[in-house]
């Protein structure tokens, strides 16, 4: 019976904003007021109210459908952007890998050139070279040859390169 009364209240015009919790006595009074209102209202008035509520519900449903469509379009757009970013990321990583591979080839070529030089000339060349490149070259040279090169370098440069070499190995 309570469900029937609640349905009755909803049909006769109690909006969600007006919904309240009633004690049984208050509920009966509110019900009596609604029944009195119904007695005073014509069927056409009640029909108009129902049609108005139905129109508002249809508008709300249309708004929700539009919102759902916007969300769906936004998700599609976001998915496309993510795919583009992933593609760019793959290209960038590929370029980085390619550059690292080419650098390794160039370092090996320098190692070959420096290995064929006299230790004094190699020491002179590595002393003025960028420290990181020098360390990479020294890493790939035979240890005995590297020690001869270090011995022929200026002591400060030799110490700096040896320190970087040791730090690189750690």
């Amino acid at each position: 019976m309570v469900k029937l009364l609640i349905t009755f209240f909803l049909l006769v015009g109690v909006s969600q904003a007006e919904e309240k919790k009633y004690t049984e006595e208050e509920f009966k009074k509110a019900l009596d007021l609604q029944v009195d209102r119904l007695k005073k209202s014509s069927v056409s008035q009640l029909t108009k109210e129902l049609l108005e509520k139905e129109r508002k519900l249809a508008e709300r449903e249309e708004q929700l459908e539009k919102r759902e469509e916007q969300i769906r379009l936004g998700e599609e757009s976001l998915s496309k952007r993510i795919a583009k970013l992933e593609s760019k990321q793959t290209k960038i990583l590929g370029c980085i890998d390619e550059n690292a591979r080419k650098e390794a080839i160039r370092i090996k070529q320098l190692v070959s050139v420096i290995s064929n030089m006299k230790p004094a000339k190699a020491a002179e060349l590595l002393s003025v070279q960028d420290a990181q490149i020098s360390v990479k070259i020294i890493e790939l040279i035979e240890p005995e040859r590297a020690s001869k090169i270090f011995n022929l370098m200026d002591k400060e440069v030799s110490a700096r390169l040896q320190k970087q070499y040791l730090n690189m190995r750690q």
Side-chain angles (χ1 to χ4, degrees):
M1 175 151 175
V2 172
K3 284 184 181 179
L4 180 63
L5 292 174
I6 291 172
T7 304
F8 175 74
F9 269 118
L10 290 174
L11 287 174
V12 295
V14 176
S15 71
Q16 291 179 347
E18 296 172 334
E19 286 184 29
K20 299 178 181 172
K21 293 187 178 182
Y22 295 100
T23 64
E24 194 170 332
E25 188 175 311
E26 290 173 330
F27 182 76
K28 286 179 183 178
K29 285 182 185 179
L31 181 60
D32 289 339
L33 286 173
Q34 290 297 326
V35 170
D36 289 342
R37 188 177 78 78
L38 280 176
K39 286 179 187 175
K40 293 177 186 174
S41 298
S42 66
V43 171
S44 66
Q45 178 65 28
L46 291 174
T47 304
K48 287 179 186 177
E49 288 177 14
L50 284 174
L51 288 174
E52 180 63 21
K53 286 186 180 194
E54 188 175 317
R55 185 190 61 77
K56 287 181 181 179
L57 284 173
E59 285 176 2
R60 180 67 179 147
E61 184 177 348
E62 186 178 320
Q63 289 173 350
L64 289 173
E65 287 173 359
K66 285 180 183 177
R67 182 68 182 142
E68 285 176 5
E69 181 65 16
Q70 288 174 344
I71 290 171
R72 186 186 62 74
L73 291 173
E75 287 174 347
E76 287 177 6
S77 173
L78 185 60
S79 294
K80 288 177 184 176
R81 290 180 69 189
I82 288 172
K84 283 181 184 178
L85 286 173
E86 287 174 347
S87 173
K88 286 181 181 180
Q89 180 184 24
T90 302
K91 287 178 184 176
I92 290 170
L93 291 175
C95 288
I96 290 171
D97 291 343
E98 181 67 15
N99 287 343
R101 187 183 64 74
K102 286 180 180 178
E103 180 184 356
I105 290 170
R106 289 190 301 272
I107 295 287
K108 284 183 183 178
Q109 289 172 343
L110 283 173
V111 167
S112 175
V113 168
I114 291 175
S115 293
N116 291 325
M117 288 182 176
K118 293 185 177 185
K121 189 70 174 165
E124 182 182 329
L125 180 70
L126 291 174
S127 293
V128 295
Q129 185 65 265
D130 180 62
Q132 289 180 334
I133 294 172
S134 294
V135 169
K136 288 179 182 179
I137 292 170
I138 290 170
E139 177 185 25
L140 298 173
I141 293 178
E142 299 169 12
E144 293 119 19
R145 185 144 181 88
S147 67
K148 288 178 186 176
I149 292 171
F150 275 132
N151 286 334
L152 294 171
M153 285 183 179
D154 178 63
K155 299 305 174 199
E156 289 178 17
V157 173
S158 176
R160 182 174 40 88
L161 289 176
Q162 288 178 33
K163 183 177 180 181
Q164 284 185 329
Y165 178 72
L166 289 173
N167 287 337
M168 183 180 74
R169 290 247 168 162
Q170 292 176 351

